[in-house]
């Protein structure tokens, strides 16, 4: 149990100048599309249509997923808050055999780009030639290493093949750039150049043989850009990965950062510094090959999870993803990108498997928010709440400078005693960022009170007493936040979103567990407060409002100018269940434990294992129609200002016969004819063992390295094979005992001990789907 640290009372004066926003080294790398929409940069943030913009980037490797489901997965990403998609183009997937390029099926880059364009999802393509991505040879084909030149260099022999690759990619991307009306806004050259290589898997004789990290620095990246532009690859801007001293061109290329905590490449990894507050713009945490004040702090690889390997099997929890994002925003990041946002499966090559050594042959689930078969993870909801905040408040957050208290610089990752906090502010208004999460360390619950002396006066969190920060939590709290004519002096609730509904501004916040929700507003700006449940105190010239949290409660404020502002205070769980869509011609907030996305003006509701789905909507629609007459709305009620609907679809129990023909093996004969309301069927396997594989017919469908979580296999993409083939599961047992190895004319291995390889439980879970129109 975590010890509760009480009595932390902190006072701090925000005696700082506003951030200097000026022309940086990326200005002029933007552009305008035929519809008049535009992107550009300052030294501190990206602009969208001339306004400050903090995008959320989600990595999704099209070639690692079934192309028939790309559209659905992109829509799930969009519903999850992703505003820019990023994807590698793995050279060895497309040219496994020299001179034979394949752009078909799951490798159809142009189809993927067109789908991004169809759904107005801007795209950054990462074109290599070296990508890594835990792919064989870092994405370089085996045959390349038969030639006597040095890869990742300005060797003319290597550049010949790089030019040919870029030419092929250029043919696929022709006419798809943002300036031409397409979705592609950026292109990444190379990856981790002058920082990291990858296992040279084609070597094959032993581990430890690596591809070079490069030697030609900026000159090589400049040459790759020249080749790309010569081939017709001309996006608004180019990017490069910039961490670990990686090379960055002097002008016009956006350097992008990474943040990983659960790192299998570090043996016995200590707690990482990724959860500490630092000013990325002025005092970056590591040596960089560029002037950090001339570019926005942009992330392309915040850990959305981590891939397990045979030798390292980390578990990345959702708290870590949320906390790291909050810390990076506090530190001045004005672009957050997740690697991976969507997991997938490696294709099987003609010559070999295409995985990196010691990693699974097929699965690249990555414990990502969206998994290998479209599995929705807990971090999906965490990222969505932050994305909603950035969409609603990013324009005012982006120009705010980071203010990191001096004592924060002395905090080490293993320090569990000192409170971790920071501020972003402009002219006395801003956001307080608090983090009580650290990887590989259990943080305590703590009672705190924090006072800020700002240019607009003192703000306190809370106004009186203390608030409790739960172990593993992180929060963003506003001060001197303007909502039209209303100024919130301070609040102990986190902003979620804001929008106009019924001609009134609706601002939505949520309460963290352990923190009493509170708003402090100036009395002079208010003529009336309308609240049915909660408390209101008058302290000097301020109202202190403590509302009840929950969607059935709301607060209406009548300002001194006569405008009406509605404030909702959701519970933490309600916020995690929240979506915002334009539905039926209006912006609506929808709360549901089911997962939602929009397609063809329909609200698609999906549910894992539950045929009953509940949705709460504000504003309440006039009508609601389901996509099939067999699906019924079994109840409708009012919860405060929300209309709550319960939908019922026919329950389905997938038919399956399971046999165990030998130890460590199972055969599943699964019914392939699913009813209309069933979108997918997942096989969930609870097993003990070392690794496991799943086959259908002669095909290795996927594999799994046991890391403590159940193994989940979605069957939708391979459903057609189930008509006349069984799903076969096999476990390689985990050995506990002693192994004696020696060579006696041949290699001999003798094991004494026990082998653990057991199926504890196998179950089939239907995933229901229903469409709603208004």
């Amino acid at each position: 149990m975590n010890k509760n640290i009480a009595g932390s009372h902190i006072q701090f004066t925000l005696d700082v100048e506003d951030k200097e926003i000026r022309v940086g080294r990326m200005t002029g790398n933007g552009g305008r599309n035929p519809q008049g929409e535009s992107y550009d940069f300052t030294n501190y943030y990206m602009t969208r249509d001339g306004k400050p913009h903090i995008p959320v980037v989600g990595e999704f490797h099209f070639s690692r997923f079934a192309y028939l489901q790309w559209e659905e997965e992109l829509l799930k990403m969009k519903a999850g808050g992703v505003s820019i998609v990023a994807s590698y183009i793995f050279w060895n997937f497309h040219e496994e055999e020299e001179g034979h390029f394949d752009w078909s099926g799951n490798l159809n880059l142009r189809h993927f780009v067109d789908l991004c364009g169809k759904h107005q999802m801007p795209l950054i393509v990462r074109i290599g030639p070296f990508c890594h991505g835990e792919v064989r040879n870092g994405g370089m084909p085996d045959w390349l290493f038969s030639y006597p030149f040095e890869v990742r260099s300005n060797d003319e022999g290597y550049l010949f093949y790089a030019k040919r690759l870029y030419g092929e990619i250029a043919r696929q991307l022709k006419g798809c750039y943002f300036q031409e009306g397409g979705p592609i806004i950026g292109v990444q050259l190379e990856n981790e150049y002058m920082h990291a290589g990858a296992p040279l898997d084609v070597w094959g004789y032993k581990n430890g043989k690596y591809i070079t990290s490069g030697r030609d620095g900026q000159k090589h990246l400049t040459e790759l850009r020249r080749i790309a532009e010569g081939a017709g690859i001309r996006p608004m801007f180019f990017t490069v990965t910039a961490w670990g001293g990686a090379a960055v061109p002097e002008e016009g290329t956006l350097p992008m950062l990474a943040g990983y905590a659960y790192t299998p490449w570090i043996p016995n990894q200590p707690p990482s510094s990724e959860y500490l507050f630092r000013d990325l713009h002025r005092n970056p945490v590591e040596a960089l090959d560029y002037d950090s004040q001339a570019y926005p702090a942009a992330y392309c690889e915040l850990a959305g999870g981590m891939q397990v390997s045979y030798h390292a099997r980390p578990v990345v929890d959702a708290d870590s993803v949320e906390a790291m994002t909050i810390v990076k925003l506090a530190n001045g990041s004005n672009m957050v990108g997740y690697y991976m946002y969507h997991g997938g499966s490696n294709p099987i090559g003609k010559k070999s498997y295409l995985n990196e050594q010691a990693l699974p042959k097929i699965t690249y689930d990555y414990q990502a928010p969206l998994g290998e078969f479209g599995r929705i993870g807990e971090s999906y909801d965490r990222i969505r709440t932050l994305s909603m905040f950035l969409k609603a408040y990013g324009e005012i957050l982006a120009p705010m400078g980071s203010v990191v208290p001096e004592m924060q610089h002395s905090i080490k990752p293993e320090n569990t005693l000192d409170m971790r906090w920071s501020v972003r502010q402009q002219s006395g208004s801003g956001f307080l960022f608090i983090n009580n999460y650290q990887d590989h360390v259990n943080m305590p619950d703590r009672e705190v009170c924090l006072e800020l002396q700002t240019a607009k006066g003192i703000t306190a969190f809370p106004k009186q007493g203390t608030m409790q920060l739960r172990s593993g939590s992180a929060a963003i709290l506003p001060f001197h936040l303007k909502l039209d004519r209303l100024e919130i002096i301070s609040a102990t609730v986190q902003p979620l979103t804001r929008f106009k509904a019924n001609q009134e501004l609706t601002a939505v916040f949520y309460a963290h567990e352990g923190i009493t929700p509170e708003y402090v507003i100036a009395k002079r700006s208010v003529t009336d407060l309308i609240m049915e449940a909660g408390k209101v105190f008058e302290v000097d010239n301020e109202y202190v409002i403590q509302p009840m949290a929950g969607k059935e409660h709301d607060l209406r404020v009548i300002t001194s100018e006569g405008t009406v502002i509605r404030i909702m205070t959701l519970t933490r769980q309600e916020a995690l269940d929240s979506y915002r869509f334009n539905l039926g011609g209006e912006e609506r907030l929808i709360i549901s434990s089911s997962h939602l996305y929009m397609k063809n003006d329909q609200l698609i509701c999906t549910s894992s294992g539950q045929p009953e789905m509940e949705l709460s909507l504000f504003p309440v629609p006039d009508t609601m129609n389901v996509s099939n007459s067999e699906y019924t709305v079994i109840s409708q009620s009012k919860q405060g200002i929300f209309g709550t609907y319960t939908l019922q679809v026919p329950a389905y129990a997938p038919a399956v016969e399971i046999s165990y023909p030998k130890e460590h093996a199972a055969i599943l004969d699964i019914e392939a004819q699913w009813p209309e309301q069933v979108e997918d069927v997942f096989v969930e396997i609870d097993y003990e063992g070392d690794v496991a594989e799943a086959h259908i017919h002669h095909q290795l469908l996927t594999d799994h390295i046991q890391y403590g979580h159940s193994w989940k296999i979605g069957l939708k993409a391979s459903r057609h094979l189930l008509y006349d083939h069984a799903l076969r599961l096999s476990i390689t047992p985990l050995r506990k005992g002693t192994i004696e190895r020696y060579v006696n004319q041949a290699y001999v291995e003798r094991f004494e001990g026990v082998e653990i390889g057991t199926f504890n439980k196998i179950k089939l879970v239907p995933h229901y789907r229903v469409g709603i129109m208004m």
Side-chain angles (χ1 to χ4, degrees):
M1 182 177 291
N2 291 316
K3 181 181 178 182
N4 189 288
I5 297 180
S8 297
H9 188 98
I10 298 170
Q11 295 177 307
F12 186 78
T13 299
L14 290 177
D15 185 17
V16 292
E17 296 180 358
D18 288 347
K19 188 72 188 178
E20 180 189 1
I21 308 299
R22 55 181 169 80
V23 172
R25 292 189 180 172
M26 285 298 293
T27 299
N29 279 260
R32 188 176 300 273
N33 69 9
Q35 290 74 43
E37 301 165 326
S38 66
Y39 285 97
D40 208 337
F41 295 90
T42 70
N43 67 315
Y44 201 54
Y45 51 78
M46 173 185 274
T47 64
R48 182 79 164 95
D49 298 332
K51 298 178 180 179
H53 177 55
I54 303 181
V56 175
V57 185
E59 187 91 10
F60 177 28
H61 298 156
F62 65 95
S63 53
R64 282 171 152 162
F65 209 84
Y67 75 96
L68 293 176
Q69 279 82 55
W70 284 346
E71 184 169 29
E72 176 187 344
E73 300 308 305
L74 286 170
L75 291 172
K76 286 161 63 176
M77 291 176 69
K78 190 172 185 177
V82 170
S83 51
I84 298 175
V85 179
S87 192
Y88 274 134
I89 301 172
F90 294 114
W91 187 357
N92 57 351
F93 286 13
H94 297 281
E95 195 190 5
E96 187 180 3
E97 296 178 319
E98 184 178 357
H100 298 281
F101 281 90
D102 186 357
W103 302 100
S104 64
N106 295 348
L107 303 177
N108 192 335
L109 170 62
R110 181 55 176 257
H111 179 45
F112 182 77
V113 173
D114 287 345
L115 286 173
C116 290
K118 174 183 177 180
H119 296 293
Q120 298 180 325
M121 299 192 73
L123 176 64
I124 296 174
V125 286
R126 307 172 80 179
I127 64 173
F130 175 85
C131 293
H132 199 185
E134 290 72 63
V135 167
R136 181 178 174 87
N137 306 322
M140 292 181 160
D142 286 13
W143 56 261
L144 191 70
F145 298 93
S146 68
Y147 287 101
F149 49 65
E150 185 175 356
V151 301
R152 306 184 79 189
S153 77
N154 281 346
D155 186 306
E156 286 298 324
Y158 172 67
L159 292 179
F160 170 83
Y161 288 101
K163 182 177 181 179
R164 193 182 66 173
L165 170 67
Y166 281 8
E168 284 283 335
I169 293 172
R171 286 199 313 117
Q172 301 298 316
L173 303 183
K174 186 176 178 59
C176 294
Y177 300 99
F178 184 77
Q179 312 92 300
E180 303 169 304
I184 297 174
I185 59 172
V187 169
Q188 179 184 300
L189 299 168
E190 247 278 348
N191 189 64
E192 297 185 320
Y193 189 68
M194 300 289 289
H195 167 64
L200 183 58
D201 294 298
V202 69
W203 172 254
Y205 295 103
K206 65 174 184 177
N207 295 335
K209 187 78 170 178
Y210 277 80
I211 296 169
T212 174
S213 63
R215 59 174 170 81
D216 291 329
Q218 295 177 354
K219 292 181 180 179
H220 182 56
L221 295 173
T222 299
E223 182 63 17
L224 288 179
R225 177 168 179 166
R226 185 192 67 79
I227 292 171
E229 291 179 331
I233 300 174
R234 295 177 175 269
M236 288 188 299
F237 60 92
F238 285 89
T239 76
V240 291
T241 50
W243 55 87
V248 176
E250 290 186 5
E251 296 286 342
T253 301
L254 180 65
M256 301 189 78
L257 302 171
Y260 291 103
Y262 296 86
T263 48
W265 52 87
I266 299 177
N268 303 314
Q269 185 205 312
S272 87
S273 62
E274 300 295 347
Y275 303 95
L276 301 178
F277 291 107
R278 302 289 187 267
D279 186 338
L280 290 167
H281 217 230
R282 290 195 173 128
N283 301 296
V285 295
E286 61 176 332
L288 300 171
D289 191 38
Y290 61 95
D291 178 4
S292 63
Q293 296 191 53
Y295 298 91
Y299 277 85
C300 63
E301 292 194 18
L302 283 179
M306 181 53 65
Q307 181 72 334
V308 297
S309 68
Y310 189 78
H311 304 293
R313 309 182 186 196
V315 176
V316 182
D317 58 51
D319 285 346
S320 70
V321 177
E322 182 178 24
M324 188 183 294
T325 304
I326 287 174
V327 168
K328 300 311 180 187
L329 287 171
N331 292 353
S333 174
N334 278 329
M335 179 185 289
V336 290
Y338 295 97
Y339 189 102
M340 297 290 296
Y341 187 90
H342 201 310
S345 308
N346 291 321
I348 298 174
K350 297 176 182 177
K351 306 290 187 181
S352 66
Y353 290 108
L354 295 172
N355 62 299
E356 182 177 292
Q357 59 187 244
L359 271 73
K361 299 184 184 80
I362 303 296
T363 184
Y364 197 66
D365 180 81
Y366 213 85
Q367 305 174 57
L370 296 176
E372 179 181 13
F373 298 100
R375 166 198 55 77
I376 298 177
E378 189 180 348
S379 57
Y380 178 79
D381 297 331
R382 308 295 186 90
I383 292 172
R384 190 178 63 256
T385 61
L386 294 170
S387 299
M388 291 170 71
F389 162 70
L390 292 176
K391 184 175 181 180
Y393 294 97
E395 185 177 338
I396 64 172
L397 175 63
M400 291 179 173
S402 296
V403 183
V404 182
E406 187 60 36
M407 61 84 59
Q408 293 293 316
H409 291 276
S410 63
I411 294 178
K412 303 298 182 185
E414 58 273 11
N415 181 334
T416 63
L417 297 177
D418 293 315
M419 179 177 165
R420 303 179 185 189
W421 67 278
S422 187
V423 167
R424 281 183 72 169
Q425 74 89 42
Q426 185 179 47
S427 303
S429 299
F431 298 92
L432 169 67
F433 295 82
I434 302 170
N435 175 39
N436 200 28
Y437 179 90
Q438 176 65 56
D439 66 296
H440 298 87
V441 169
N442 290 322
M443 300 293 280
D445 295 340
R446 60 183 83 235
E447 297 283 341
V448 301
C449 173
L450 195 147
E451 291 184 11
L452 299 178
Q453 176 66 57
T454 76
K456 295 185 177 182
I458 294 176
T459 59
F461 303 88
K463 182 67 176 179
Q464 295 178 345
T466 62
M467 57 185 180
Q468 185 186 72
L469 303 180
R470 296 282 177 87
S471 173
S473 67
I476 304 172
L477 308 180
F479 60 92
H480 295 294
L481 175 67
K482 280 288 188 70
L483 296 175
D484 279 357
R485 302 294 182 179
L486 178 68
E487 181 177 331
I488 297 178
I489 296 171
S490 66
T492 61
V493 290
Q494 183 157 324
L496 180 66
T497 188
R498 58 179 175 174
F499 57 98
K500 282 289 183 71
N502 302 324
Q503 306 304 312
E504 297 175 353
L505 175 64
T506 297
V508 187
F509 299 79
Y510 69 91
H512 283 273
E513 295 176 6
I515 301 179
T516 300
E518 174 187 278
Y519 302 89
V520 179
I521 59 178
K523 286 167 59 175
R524 67 178 182 276
S525 65
V526 175
T527 59
D528 198 7
L529 297 171
I530 304 168
M531 183 173 66
E532 293 183 358
K535 300 176 182 178
V536 178
F537 307 95
E538 293 185 31
V539 180
D540 299 326
N541 296 315
E542 299 169 342
Y543 286 120
V544 180
I545 305 166
Q546 294 180 346
M548 295 289 290
K551 63 177 182 284
E552 62 272 26
H553 308 291
D554 71 310
L555 163 68
R556 295 180 76 230
V557 179
I558 315 299
T559 71
S560 55
E561 284 80 10
T563 58
V564 180
I565 298 172
R566 188 186 300 274
I567 296 176
M568 295 185 200
T569 309
L570 302 179
T571 65
R572 161 90 164 157
Q573 188 57 55
E574 287 170 345
L576 292 172
D577 289 341
S578 292
Y579 295 78
R580 210 185 105 189
F581 297 116
N582 190 299
L583 185 61
E586 287 191 71
E587 286 293 314
R588 300 183 196 273
L589 182 69
I590 308 175
I591 301 175
S592 177
S593 58
S594 301
H595 284 103
L596 316 174
Y597 63 91
M598 291 291 296
K599 183 177 183 181
N600 299 330
D601 296 323
Q602 285 192 80
L603 178 66
I604 307 299
C605 308
T606 63
S607 173
S608 173
Q610 296 297 322
E612 195 172 284
M613 308 175 211
E614 184 177 280
L615 298 89
S616 296
L617 294 87
F618 172 79
V620 181
D622 295 329
T623 60
M624 177 180 284
N625 299 305
V626 292
S627 56
N628 188 299
S629 59
E630 293 183 13
Y631 312 155
T632 58
V633 179
I634 60 173
S635 69
Q636 180 178 339
S637 62
K638 199 82 183 294
Q639 290 182 291
I641 59 175
F642 283 84
T644 297
Y645 303 83
T646 303
L647 310 178
Q648 178 76 56
V649 301
Y652 171 67
V656 59
E657 292 183 6
I658 304 176
S659 60
Y660 300 91
K662 65 174 185 176
E663 193 176 13
H664 317 316
I667 295 178
L668 284 68
D669 284 300
I670 302 169
E671 179 184 33
Q673 191 68 40
W674 304 339
E676 182 183 0
Q677 73 273 19
V678 175
E679 177 73 4
D680 201 350
V681 171
F682 270 68
V683 183
E684 296 187 4
I685 306 130
D686 177 10
Y687 78 96
E688 296 176 59
D690 191 14
V691 300
E693 293 185 343
H695 290 80
I696 295 182
H697 193 28
H698 61 271
Q699 175 184 337
L700 176 59
L701 176 62
T702 189
D703 51 350
H704 188 262
I705 292 177
Q706 179 58 264
Y707 66 104
H709 283 201
S710 63
W711 183 22
K712 298 181 180 180
I713 304 172
L715 298 176
K716 178 166 57 175
S718 53
R719 174 183 171 187
H720 60 289
L721 297 175
L722 295 175
Y723 281 94
D724 49 7
H725 297 288
L727 177 68
R728 308 191 310 276
L729 308 177
S730 60
I731 299 172
T732 299
L734 181 68
R735 285 179 166 182
K736 290 189 175 182
T738 59
I739 300 174
E740 182 182 0
R741 300 181 177 93
Y742 58 92
V743 175
N744 181 13
Q745 294 184 334
Y747 178 82
V748 177
E749 178 179 291
R750 290 181 177 169
F751 168 70
E752 291 187 5
V754 296
E755 291 188 334
I756 302 171
T758 305
F759 292 103
N760 294 326
K761 186 176 183 180
I762 300 174
K763 66 177 180 178
L764 272 62
V765 179
H767 285 222
Y768 298 101
R769 178 186 186 275
V770 60
I772 295 173
M773 297 161 288
M774 294 180 189

